[in-house]
Amino acid sequence: MVKNLFLPGFSQEKKEENPGSVEFQVFNFTNKIRRLTSHLELHRKDYLSQRGLRKILGKRQRLLSYLSKKNGIRYKKLINQLDIRESQIR
């Protein structure tokens, strides 16, 4: 499992922003998702981690849905920057 799995260019500028902002929270959830995904590739039967991953995915999806309704431009910029797919259900 890789411990320091983060997006280098994005994290430096977001640490200076409000840690309660939607972008910062989505960034942190994305880091957790990538870390858990790499963990689950090694430990396929770790069902508690699978449950945790599904919960974090749901939280991130709700935040992205909120952001897309409130400010579509920030939403598009964020998903392009984090390299995540656009939601099919919005």
Side-chain angles (χ1 to χ4, degrees), residues 31-78:
N31 281 339
K32 287 181 185 180
I33 288 167
R34 291 184 177 157
R35 195 168 50 242
L36 275 173
T37 303
S38 67
H39 169 77
L40 287 172
E41 288 174 356
L42 296 173
H43 308 281
R44 295 185 187 275
K45 293 193 175 188
D46 189 354
Y47 298 116
L48 289 176
S49 292
Q50 288 178 12
R51 180 175 185 263
L53 177 62
R54 284 193 300 268
K55 288 182 77 160
I56 293 172
L57 283 168
K59 286 181 185 180
R60 184 180 76 173
Q61 189 59 47
R62 284 191 299 272
L63 280 172
L64 286 172
S65 174
Y66 166 79
L67 186 61
S68 71
K69 290 175 187 171
K70 292 294 180 185
N71 193 338
I73 297 169
R74 283 173 48 196
Y75 170 75
K76 293 279 188 187
K77 181 181 173 187
L78 183 65

